[in-house]
Amino acid sequence: MSDLANKIGGKIPIKEPAWLKEFKTFIMRGNVIDLAVGVVIGAAFTAIVSSVVEDLINPIVGILMGGIDFSNLFIVLFGERKASLDMTRQGGASVLAIGAFLNAVIKFLIVGFAVFWLVRILNRLQPAKPAEPAPPPGPTPTEALLAEIRDELRARRGGSNPPGP
């Protein structure tokens, strides 16, 4: 920087915008960082679930369905059918990718099941929240009657003492 810029920059205070300070406070809160970590772990978990579905479940389902390649289960709506779903799509055909849809449904169910169990376990590990204190009990019928008698006696004496306990 030039000397002129240093002189000007040193004398002109640059005020940080209020929204920037608020953003810094927001981004450094623990739950935002926890959310970011959750997204990263979720992405890794998605890769594992995809492998489980495509490499373990689909072959078993394919065998049970008579040797059908589950990932290549599709219906051509318009265009020429080729050997695989990718080749058919690259040829410009319009397809219903039933196998890909079923893969997505299975992945969703696995992730949902895993998240269900994770939340269930975490809820059990957290300490129980303390119960809210019960509201103080109202006066018993005897106390209410005694308060009425007290108030009546004060009223007969001229009401010089305000009603109270």
Side-chain angles (χ1 to χ4, degrees):
M1 274 190 158
S2 70
D3 291 332
L4 179 62
N6 285 332
K7 289 179 184 177
I8 293 174
K11 294 186 181 190
I12 300 175
I14 299 175
K15 187 176 178 184
E16 182 177 75
W19 65 266
L20 184 58
K21 183 177 179 184
E22 187 178 343
F23 177 73
K24 286 179 183 178
T25 303
F26 166 77
I27 206 69
M28 293 310 294
R29 288 186 357 203
N31 58 354
V32 173
I33 293 171
D34 291 344
L35 179 63
V37 169
V39 167
V40 170
I41 290 174
F45 186 66
T46 300
I48 292 170
V49 170
S50 293
S51 177
V52 166
V53 171
E54 293 167 9
D55 301 329
L56 301 176
I57 294 176
N58 282 353
I60 294 170
V61 171
I63 290 170
L64 295 176
M65 292 181 64
I68 297 174
D69 182 5
F70 199 54
S71 61
N72 267 331
L73 185 60
F74 63 95
I75 298 171
V76 177
L77 297 175
F78 176 81
E80 181 183 347
R81 181 182 185 92
K82 304 222 175 165
S84 70
L85 175 62
D86 289 334
M87 290 172 59
T88 304
R89 283 184 171 163
Q90 287 174 1
S94 177
V95 298
L96 291 178
I98 297 168
F101 174 74
L102 292 175
N103 282 346
V105 170
I106 293 170
K107 289 175 189 176
F108 172 77
L109 292 174
I110 290 172
V111 169
F113 191 69
V115 169
F116 166 77
W117 282 104
L118 179 67
V119 169
R120 190 165 187 230
I121 290 168
L122 290 177
N123 284 339
R124 287 188 180 178
L125 292 177
Q126 289 180 347
K129 293 180 182 177
E132 292 184 23
T140 63
T142 304
E143 291 171 337
L145 182 58
L146 288 172
E148 285 180 33
I149 293 170
R150 179 200 61 214
D151 294 343
E152 184 64 33
L153 288 172
R154 284 185 181 159
R156 287 186 184 175
R157 284 190 224 156
S160 59
N161 295 334

